[in-house]
């Protein structure tokens, strides 16, 4: 399934002019899949092109696009039926869409385009499960150092396996959804007993999410090659975290309510095929990996990532600039490890990469690290922050730069005050 | 929703004679819901009565049973559509089924009964998510003592909140499904690096599973009263565990592949309403709980539990006898805590109670505890075991005893050898 083809040709241009602008996230080489609606209309599957959306549900009904003869795969308002089709069908469909949008082979006749400005975006797929990993060595070392001291920063297992845990699928939401500050059990270090109340150390985690298309059978593990191919695409992912709830609850079974209240993803799933030109190797191994995690090809991607923070009533400041390529484990390695016990993987499983932190102070993917657990407030133009306050807005952005730019769009959330409850 | 009604009348008898036998798990006072098929037929919803199954899919098609006018809720071969109906409909439907099966008000005419011996049971509901708790104080103390020493046996948070973690829904299987021994990363205490291979410390965890019927909105926590009512019913649950994979992988984010390969549940969902006569209080609090976890009624149940082990080629021995009433936290408290951050709960969410261990050596719910991490092998009539070997069969059983007996049926699994893989 891997390798470059005509859909990666940098010379290709679309008759949708906005797609050819140098700064566009969505040139004809991208063609990410999403789900949108207009007004009170039903949710439809579409592909982003420039500042427009091509309506695939309409194209399937018109017979212009037939991914699975005799079956409606774009009729349910979620990508799952399409992602469950064989991998070569993903590729053929993408090639056909590129033809339809190409300035030379296609044209506006018979197409239904909707302006992104007029559309409401929905969660693009039914999230069957959400698993979150911990694959940035810098992030794991920083957090471990804060919570367990510098001598126990990196656990002994970390260099041997992609550490991960099962998250909560029911609260994965699409970019733009307002996020309510959670309540929970909190215990001050000097308090004898915990109290219940609003989280005071609300944080982001800047991550990428890998979306599983091809399922695997229970009892039948995936190789890293099969795992790479099984991934349909990628989204930006903000794993909102309540640090004060987390530090009290997480031992010995891991994070639970601290991470259960919300996870935001970007609305467009950028296909793994579109990312092919931006493949890079994982960083050099500090320890040899066991054979089941070995990779025969570069399975990471060179994706630039940024976080903007807008304090309530203030103006945006970029608080982190980093790159997905720093991740010690690729998503293919994570997925192979996930299935190693025989765990069945499903269409719609979402795998968070873990917080993407780089080696420099301006490349950290969480406020926990940026402010060193609240010790060093950041200046946001007259106001300062350690953690997130009510009304603050956080935006993740991601894009690849090469012969062309290919972007993920924004992943945005604004914080609402906590509910008065349980006190 | 709580309280006793005519469906709990001990004097009631069924025209299905096997239901009236004193030892039956399925008298007319039980009426648990499950999903079955015959031969190559489609999966159908049914209710167990004595050694028979009443076919609810057929009764709905015939118009004898109409839980939701204008809607087929028993047509999909899973209980989710029925469990998503309002709670009073669960109760009305149960009352109507009792009438149809009652020796005085019902009769065989117009009913379709299938012998349980001729039916194949399926997973009774689509498991939207699986969360596993850790609510037996004895189990948590035993395991903590083994893994972290007696001084750190019970973590400081344990007496304040129901500790839990997100498990893996895709590998929840119905009783009778063969379980393949998992492979994974294992590290001997004296080894410098881990190796990859078959689990050598394969274990059971004897648990009850609470099945969520009524969903909750994101951002809208449940009280313990609402949580109690939201639970549709209960199953037996065996949370198969690979102790050697677990001990290497679990820090700092909790169990992952050690618990991801399989979880077995019993095929019949015993409704919460059927369990009403067996409500008991949780054990006395060692510490006061925060108000959001307070209970206004007894929310535990008096359910006797047993584990039988059959070594490959050998004969069955009961290796544990305990009771669900020992659990320090009720499933209502667990569900209330689960939603406290604003986490949305869904129809089909499965909540494992955590291993049910009592205070005596013959009442422990895992081999880890029974053999004290392999130190004290158990005698199974000429053969001994520390952990589970290939070909061994484990069976959980559960029942209530009062004016009548009400059972859960069996929850069985036999271990297949590990796949040759990844070495």
């Amino acid at each position: 399934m891997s390798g470059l083809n005509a859909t990666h040709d940098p010379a290709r241009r679309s008759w949708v002019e906005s797609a050819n602008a140098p700064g566009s996230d969505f040139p004809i080489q991208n063609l990410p899949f999403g789900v949108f609606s207009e007004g009170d209309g039903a949710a439809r599957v579409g592909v982003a092109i420039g500042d427009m959306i091509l309506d695939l549900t309409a194209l399937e009904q018109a017979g212009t696009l037939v991914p699975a003869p005799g079956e409606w795969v774009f009729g349910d308002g979620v990508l799952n039926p399409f992602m469950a089709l064989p991998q070569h069908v993903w590729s053929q469909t993408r090639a056909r869409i590129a033809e339809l949008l190409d300035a030379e082979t296609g044209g506006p006749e018979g197409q239904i385009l909707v302006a992104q400005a007029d559309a409401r975006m929905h969660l693009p797929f039914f999230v069957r499960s959400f698993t979150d990993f911990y694959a940035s060595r810098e992030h794991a070392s920083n957090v471990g150092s804060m919570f367990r001291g510098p001598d126990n920063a990196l656990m002994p297992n970390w260099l041997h396996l992609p550490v991960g845990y099962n998250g909560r699928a029911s609260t994965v939401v699409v970019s733009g959804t307002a996020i309510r500050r959670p309540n929970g059990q909190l215990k001050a270090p000097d308090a004898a007993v915990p109290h219940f109340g609003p989280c005071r150390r609300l944080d982001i985690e800047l991550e990428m999410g890998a979306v599983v298309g091809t399922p695997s059978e229970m009892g039948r593990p995936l190789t890293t090659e099969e795992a790479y191919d099984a991934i349909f695409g990628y989204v930006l992912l903000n794993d909102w975290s309540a640090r004060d709830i987390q530090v009290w609850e997480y031992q010995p079974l891991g994070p639970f309510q601290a991470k259960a209240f919300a996870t935001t993803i970007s609305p467009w799933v950028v296909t793994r095929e579109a990312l092919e030109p931006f493949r890079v190797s994982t960083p050099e191994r500090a320890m040899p990996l066991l054979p089941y995690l070995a990779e025969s090809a570069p399975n990471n991607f060179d994706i630039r990532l940024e976080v903007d923070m807008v304090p309530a009533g203030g103006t945006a400041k970029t608080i982190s600039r980093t790159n997905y390529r720093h991740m010690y484990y690729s998503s293919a390695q994570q997925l192979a490890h996930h299935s190693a016990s025989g765990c069945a993987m499903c269409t719609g499983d979402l795998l968070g990469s873990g917080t993407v932190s780089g080696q420099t102070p301006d490349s950290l993917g969480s406020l926990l690290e940026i402010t060193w657990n609240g010790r060093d407030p950041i200046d946001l133009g007259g106001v300062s922050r350690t953690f997130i306050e009510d009304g603050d807005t956080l935006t993740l952005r991601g894009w690849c730069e090469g012969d062309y730019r290919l972007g993920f769009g924004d992943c945005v959330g604004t914080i609402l005050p906590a509910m008065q409850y349980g006190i």
Side-chain angles (χ1 to χ4, degrees), chain A:
Chain A
M1 266 291 287
S2 59
L4 301 188
N5 58 42
T7 67
H8 302 102
D9 179 358
R12 247 175 142 157
R13 294 176 69 81
S14 175
W15 52 264
V16 181
E17 274 304 328
S18 58
N20 306 320
S24 175
D25 272 352
F26 307 121
I28 193 168
Q29 292 82 7
N30 192 347
L31 306 179
F33 289 77
V35 173
F36 71 100
S37 64
E38 293 176 284
D40 295 334
R44 309 165 79 78
V45 175
V47 149
I49 180 78
D51 56 9
M52 305 298 282
I53 302 170
L54 181 68
D55 183 338
L56 302 191
T57 302
L59 288 179
E60 186 180 42
Q61 278 160 355
T64 311
L65 206 59
V66 188
E71 219 182 305
W72 297 113
V73 296
F74 294 134
D76 288 342
V78 285
L79 294 177
N80 302 59
F82 179 61
M83 299 197 300
L85 295 177
Q87 293 159 11
H88 72 267
V89 178
W90 307 344
S91 204
Q92 284 166 2
T93 305
R94 186 176 137 78
R96 175 77 178 125
I97 294 168
E99 274 174 22
L100 295 172
L101 289 170
D102 189 294
E104 290 187 18
T105 57
E109 201 181 336
Q111 310 305 337
I112 298 182
L113 283 180
V114 174
Q116 288 176 31
D118 296 338
R120 181 174 149 228
M121 299 305 297
H122 299 261
L123 197 63
F125 56 98
F126 170 73
V127 182
R128 177 63 184 101
S129 77
F130 170 44
T131 307
D132 202 21
F133 286 87
Y134 193 56
S136 152
R137 188 171 176 179
E138 290 73 22
H139 173 72
S141 301
N142 289 337
V143 175
S145 176
M146 266 178 261
F147 284 11
R148 291 178 297 273
D151 292 344
N152 296 308
L154 214 55
M155 291 281 179
N157 55 18
W158 200 93
L159 292 171
H160 295 284
L161 58 83
V163 171
Y165 69 101
N166 301 298
R168 181 75 193 173
S170 70
T171 43
V172 177
V173 295
V174 72
S175 176
T177 307
I179 305 299
R180 193 163 286 284
R181 177 182 298 275
N183 288 291
Q185 282 203 21
L186 312 168
K187 190 180 150 307
D190 55 349
V193 293
H195 70 280
F196 190 88
C199 159
R200 289 277 139 244
R201 291 175 171 256
L202 184 60
D203 201 357
I204 56 159
E205 293 198 335
L206 165 62
E207 304 194 21
M208 294 298 302
V211 185
V212 175
T214 309
S216 74
E217 266 176 63
M218 185 171 167
R220 164 78 179 77
L222 298 170
T223 64
T224 54
E225 289 80 9
E226 290 169 330
Y228 181 86
D229 288 345
I231 294 170
F232 176 77
Y234 288 82
V235 290
L236 300 171
L237 187 151
N238 183 351
D239 185 36
W240 303 95
S241 298
R243 300 299 179 192
D244 39 8
I245 297 176
Q246 186 177 355
V247 75
W248 171 238
E249 76 172 1
Y250 92 106
Q251 284 189 312
L253 300 183
F256 186 46
Q257 291 304 286
K259 305 266 197 171
F261 58 97
T263 305
T264 303
I265 63 172
S266 54
W268 296 107
V269 183
V270 175
T271 62
R272 192 240 309 133
E273 188 175 81
L275 293 170
E276 280 292 327
F278 305 97
R279 284 176 84 155
V280 292
S281 296
T282 45
E284 205 187 334
R285 300 294 96 181
M287 293 262 210
L289 287 176
L290 285 164
Y292 83 102
L293 290 174
E295 294 187 306
S296 59
N299 286 349
N300 255 12
F301 299 101
D302 180 356
I303 303 173
R304 301 176 191 209
L305 297 167
E306 284 184 1
V307 181
D308 273 13
M309 185 163 188
V310 185
T315 51
K317 180 176 175 181
T318 301
I319 60 171
S320 182
R321 288 187 175 87
T322 184
N323 196 305
Y324 182 56
R325 67 185 301 159
H326 297 313
M327 303 309 275
Y328 193 81
Y329 294 104
S330 68
S331 55
Q333 285 173 320
Q334 292 171 335
L335 181 51
H337 179 68
H338 205 325
S339 72
S341 67
C343 179
M345 303 306 302
C346 306
T347 301
D349 281 348
L350 174 65
L351 274 57
S353 60
T355 307
V356 186
S357 289
Q359 294 177 336
T360 56
D362 60 350
S363 66
L364 303 170
S366 66
L367 288 168
L368 180 70
E369 294 166 271
I370 296 173
T371 71
W372 205 256
N373 201 15
R375 189 190 65 190
D376 308 325
I378 46 174
D379 175 39
L380 297 172
V383 294
S384 74
R385 288 286 187 271
T386 48
F387 290 96
I388 306 172
E389 300 197 2
D390 293 345
D392 290 355
T393 298
L394 278 296
T395 302
L396 317 185
R397 272 191 307 274
W399 72 98
C400 304
E401 285 276 0
D403 291 333
Y404 45 85
R405 174 192 166 102
L406 179 152
F408 285 77
D410 287 354
C411 179
V412 188
T414 299
I415 300 301
L416 301 177
M419 266 186 71
Q420 288 293 318
Y421 154 74
I423 302 158

